[in-house]
Amino acid sequence: MILKSVEKTRRETLAMAAIAGLAAILAPRLSLADEQAVAAEIKKLYGDKKFESGKIKLDVPEIAENGLVVPVNVDIESPMTDADYVKSVHVFAEGNPLPAVVSYRFTPACGKASASTRMRLAETQNIVCIAEMSNGKLHMAKANVKVTIGGCGG
């Protein structure tokens, strides 16, 4: 049986240092989203339009025991007629690896602007919901969810 030497050569040591340096440079890009990342995503969608409060009922638990399965329910007040309806709803998470979580599209044929899903949350964070109306108005709601066990690898 032939035993290999455990000692590293100079070339192997330099290669390991280069990989570690590359990881240090890329690590900030792989980090979790924050309030600025969510704001940037919203700005991409809607520019500098103003948001109104109200009309959105964002139902999330105040404390999530397990971040793997956090229920999110969204209900938007709207008559859902041809003249006045909810066009789209976007949900964002300020502490997840990707800020955009889910988007819904509605038409007057939907009858009601309501949706439910479950999402993973990496840590305690704000959930932001934006509703775009057919008349161009935008509504925003925020809710904070305290996560006791992270669902995104935490």
Side-chain angles (χ1 to χ4, degrees):
M1 178 193 267
I2 301 174
L3 295 175
K4 266 191 161 178
S5 174
V6 190
E7 293 180 26
K8 298 282 183 200
T9 65
R10 184 175 180 184
R11 185 172 287 156
E12 289 171 328
T13 304
L14 287 174
M16 294 294 280
I19 290 170
L22 185 60
I25 290 170
L26 293 178
R29 294 173 193 250
L30 301 174
S31 65
L32 301 177
D34 58 6
E35 193 173 340
Q36 290 79 22
V38 169
E41 286 290 318
I42 293 171
K43 188 169 183 154
K44 271 196 249 179
L45 287 171
Y46 300 112
D48 292 324
K49 290 184 179 179
K50 300 293 180 204
F51 298 96
E52 298 177 19
S53 60
K55 291 208 177 199
I56 300 175
K57 180 185 174 198
L58 178 58
D59 185 19
V60 294
E62 193 173 311
I63 298 174
E65 294 292 327
N66 185 350
L68 282 173
V69 286
V70 180
V72 177
N73 301 307
V74 179
D75 193 13
I76 297 92
E77 291 177 36
S78 173
M80 296 303 282
T81 63
D82 288 336
D84 185 11
Y85 64 96
V86 178
K87 283 176 61 176
S88 62
V89 173
H90 304 280
V91 179
F92 302 92
E94 291 183 351
N96 274 8
L98 298 173
V101 176
V102 67
S103 295
Y104 299 101
R105 305 271 185 241
F106 296 98
T107 68
C110 293
K112 185 177 180 184
S114 180
S116 298
T117 190
R118 295 188 182 277
M119 61 189 281
R120 287 183 175 187
L121 295 180
E123 61 187 17
T124 297
Q125 59 191 283
N126 287 324
I127 305 302
V128 180
C129 181
I130 306 287
E132 179 183 7
M133 310 303 280
S134 60
N135 61 7
K137 288 187 179 180
L138 300 172
H139 297 275
M140 178 188 283
K142 273 188 183 182
N144 187 271
V145 179
K146 293 180 175 123
V147 178
T148 57
I149 300 173
C152 295

